[in-house]
Amino acid sequence: VAGMLASLVVTALVAYAPHMPPLANSAMRPALVHARSGICMLTSNDFKIGLTIESEGAVWKVQEFLHVKPGKGAAFVRSKLKNLITGNTVEKTWKAGESVQQAEVEKMDVQYTYQDGDEYVFMDMTTFEEVRLTADQIDQLAYLKDDCEAQVAKWQGRVISVDLPSQMNLKVVQTDPGVKGNTVQGGTKPATLESGAVVQVPLFIEEGEDIRVDTRENRYISRTKGD
């Protein structure tokens, strides 16, 4: 009788086994759900200029940030964020290592074609459709020129911003004449570029020269190669 009972128990367990979720799969399930959701979590330590994040139900672009390590107390990160829906900017302080959700944005390559009233018209390089943006959606507006290539970002199907190249070669159209002997003294002067932007350049830079600039920091980098 004991043998028969043991045999019945084994048979029941085998029959039930296919309906039992494997322990390994059960343990992995939360991680799989997280991965399938497409959510990318970062921390405040990952901040960089131009990073797009989601916070408090809105989408923001990091415009400035500073890591602070006080002599006493915990480290933190100061940031300046731009709301890509309203255009407003806010300053926010984060704990060092605080979790932040990276915004899920779709990016597409475009080329600037012309201005129509208050709108700037770009062409999608893949579909050749028009994309219209306003001035408050273009952070580097001073560097925009005809045929300039850029990248448009969409969030939840809505165009939220356009990013020009972080570095560009542009011609100096107006600046004061250079002074002989000032090439290594470290002085600077304002120069107007072909796009209309004004940057500080070394004293030896002359009108008509092409220079390389950082469009996000509004900063001179160097003369372009061949000058």
Side-chain angles (χ1 to χ4, degrees), residues 7 27 32 42 47 49 54 63 77 82 87-89 102 104 122 125 143 152 162 167 170 203 209 214:
S7 178
L32 290 174
L42 306 174
F47 278 5
I49 294 176
E54 291 186 33
Q63 292 188 314
V77 181
K82 178 181 179 180
N88 296 332
T89 58
Q102 184 173 8
E104 297 181 57
F122 294 79
M125 300 299 288
Y143 292 95
V152 163
V162 61
Q167 295 184 6
L170 295 167
L203 298 175
E209 287 192 83
D214 185 315

Side-chain angles (χ1 to χ4, degrees), residues 128-182:
F128 303 107
E129 295 179 351
E130 286 188 349
V131 179
R132 292 174 174 263
L133 299 170
T134 56
D136 60 359
Q137 293 177 298
I138 310 173
D139 288 339
Q140 304 138 293
L141 183 60
Y143 292 95
L144 190 63
K145 66 172 187 174
D146 290 346
D147 300 325
C148 178
E149 295 183 355
Q151 198 172 60
V152 163
K154 284 185 175 182
W155 181 68
Q156 297 183 355
R158 176 177 180 177
V159 174
I160 54 175
S161 69
V162 61
D163 289 319
L164 274 59
S166 59
Q167 295 184 6
M168 295 177 63
N169 295 339
L170 295 167
K171 186 179 295 294
V172 176
V173 296
Q174 194 283 319
T175 191
D176 293 335
V179 179
K180 190 174 181 179
N182 279 334

